Amino acid sequence: MLLYANSESGHSYKVRSLLLLADIAHEYRWIDLDTPRSERPAEFVAASKFGEVPVLVDDGRALCQSNAILIYLAQKFGVFRGEPSDWQSILEWLSWETNRIGFSVPNLRFSLRWDKQPPDVLSYLQRRAIADLQTLDQFLSSSEYLVQSGPSIADISCSAYLFWLSQAGIAEAEFPNVRRWLSSLSKLPRWRHPDEALARPAEY
């Protein structure tokens, strides 16, 4: 199993984190996203349908889009998928993440770190991010994880960029239930912070 990923990609972190948490053997191959798409390694270009990371290659099959990959791994290995009764809720959280917190926080982080945006754009992204975090914080006020049976791919997906929350200019302390949840996730066996899990290998 081969994972193409990048050290600044929270979407990459979702997949890498699940592979590490579930102790699934794989190779991590770092992709330089500063390199033009046409100049990236030929095997990655061939595997990446959308020209993006992450891409997981399993038995010659290339899988794209982080949440779709999480579903594939959870189903194949029977890990972090909750109880059968949880599956609908997990799918709802994965869809929410794509449209809400997986949009607002990474785009705000990107705009602050690499591509400065006009004040009105930054203000919009900040409002979106805060609203999404408030939604998450409110839900977590009465639940330890996103489904009752314990940590699942819903938690892995929704938390991915939040371990870099300070890079988006947002104080984790403003969302105490989110902070408690992130702390609980970080205590899971084999968990690694994204800076460690996605570190650029020495050979690159």
Side-chain angles (χ1 to χ4, degrees), residues 129-156:
I130 289 170
D132 296 337
L133 286 161
Q134 287 173 338
T135 297
L136 193 57
D137 199 69
Q138 176 60 35
F139 181 85
L140 289 166
S141 67
S142 59
S143 182
E144 184 176 6
Y145 296 104
L146 296 183
V147 296
Q148 292 299 318
S149 60
S152 70
I153 57 173
D155 301 278
I156 292 170

Side-chain angles (χ1 to χ4, degrees), residues 104-116:
S104 60
V105 173
N107 279 296
L108 178 58
R109 173 178 177 256
F110 188 84
S111 298
L112 289 172
R113 296 194 72 199
W114 296 291
D115 188 20
K116 189 70 174 180

Side-chain angles (χ1 to χ4, degrees), residues 149-167:
S149 60
S152 70
I153 57 173
D155 301 278
I156 292 170
S157 176
C158 290
S159 68
Y161 274 96
L162 303 190
F163 291 104
W164 285 322
L165 201 55
S166 63
Q167 296 180 9

Side-chain angles (χ1 to χ4, degrees), residues 2-185:
L2 170 63
L3 174 64
Y4 293 103
N6 177 270
S7 46
E8 299 293 348
S9 166
H11 299 299
S12 293
Y13 177 57
K14 295 178 195 178
V15 181
R16 175 76 162 152
S17 187
L18 177 56
L19 291 168
L20 292 170
L21 287 167
D23 201 21
I24 299 170
H26 66 285
E27 176 187 351
Y28 169 40
R29 193 167 298 174
W30 187 83
I31 296 295
D32 185 356
L33 298 183
D34 290 329
T35 301
R37 292 189 179 190
S38 60
E39 298 175 18
R40 293 172 188 173
E43 67 275 13
F44 168 73
V45 172
S48 181
K49 182 186 301 183
F50 305 110
E52 302 171 340
V53 292
V55 175
L56 184 73
V57 180
D58 184 27
D59 292 330
R61 179 185 179 189
L63 301 106
C64 304
Q65 297 298 304
S66 58
N67 285 347
I69 298 171
L70 292 182
I71 292 170
Y72 172 83
L73 291 170
Q75 292 180 332
K76 176 172 181 173
F77 293 98
V79 293
F80 290 90
R81 60 177 297 168
E83 298 297 330
S85 59
D86 293 327
W87 195 243
Q88 178 62 31
S89 182
I90 287 172
L91 294 178
E92 290 170 358
W93 279 113
L94 294 177
S95 296
W96 178 83
E97 188 274 343
T98 298
N99 183 54
R100 298 299 310 190
I101 208 160
F103 167 85
S104 60
V105 173
N107 279 296
L108 178 58
R109 173 178 177 256
F110 188 84
S111 298
L112 289 172
R113 296 194 72 199
W114 296 291
D115 188 20
K116 189 70 174 180
Q117 296 296 310
D120 57 337
V121 174
L122 284 174
S123 178
Y124 165 73
L125 290 172
Q126 287 166 343
R127 291 196 305 272
R128 275 287 300 260
I130 289 170
D132 296 337
L133 286 161
Q134 287 173 338
T135 297
L136 193 57
D137 199 69
Q138 176 60 35
F139 181 85
L140 289 166
S141 67
S142 59
S143 182
E144 184 176 6
Y145 296 104
L146 296 183
V147 296
Q148 292 299 318
S149 60
S152 70
I153 57 173
D155 301 278
I156 292 170
S157 176
C158 290
S159 68
Y161 274 96
L162 303 190
F163 291 104
W164 285 322
L165 201 55
S166 63
Q167 296 180 9
I170 296 175
E172 187 180 290
E174 295 179 13
F175 306 95
N177 299 308
V178 170
R179 179 172 59 180
R180 186 268 310 154
W181 170 65
L182 294 176
S183 177
S184 294
L185 291 173

